[in-house]
Amino acid sequence: MTYTDPSDRLQELAAIDQFLDTLGLRLVQYKYLSVTDRKTVMSGTDFYKFARDNLSPQQQMTPLLRQYLGLHFDCHYALDDYVILAQLSSQ
């Protein structure tokens, strides 16, 4: 993952450390995972085009979302999350 501003990485690391500290954990390693391989926000239209062209459709959920929520588009699987490996802090 590339950062346009080095302070973005430091801010991200500080937030993760603070979160883990409240749980009594110490960071070992973390990785940001995203289907787009970028942290910048895409517009809804751009993301829909990306999803339609690159991501698997949610074949079971889309009909339910159309029926119960009135969606007028197909849903696709997406990933935008952190994987964090931590261990108990020694106190």
Side-chain angles (χ1 to χ4, degrees):
M1 185 66 54
T2 57
Y3 296 87
T4 55
D5 184 350
S7 67
D8 290 346
R9 169 109 164 87
L10 296 175
Q11 185 178 7
E12 177 182 79
L13 186 56
I16 292 170
D17 280 335
Q18 181 180 9
F19 169 70
L20 293 176
D21 188 54
T22 62
L23 300 173
L25 301 172
R26 182 178 60 81
L27 178 65
V28 174
Q29 186 176 3
Y30 79 95
K31 177 81 175 163
Y32 175 75
L33 304 174
S34 172
V35 294
T36 62
D37 196 34
R38 63 171 93 164
K39 288 195 176 187
T40 57
V41 177
M42 297 174 84
S43 73
T45 303
D46 289 342
F47 185 77
Y48 179 73
K49 288 177 187 174
F50 174 84
R52 184 189 63 217
D53 295 341
N54 299 289
L55 305 177
S56 299
Q58 293 185 8
Q59 295 177 351
Q60 304 301 320
M61 286 299 295
T62 296
L64 294 173
L65 294 170
R66 286 177 187 264
Q67 180 179 352
Y68 292 107
L69 299 179
L71 254 56
H72 300 289
F73 54 87
D74 292 334
C75 295
H76 295 79
Y77 289 100
L79 175 69
D80 184 29
D81 216 337
Y82 287 88
V83 175
I84 299 173
L85 176 63
Q87 66 185 40
L88 287 173
S89 297
S90 51
Q91 296 182 4

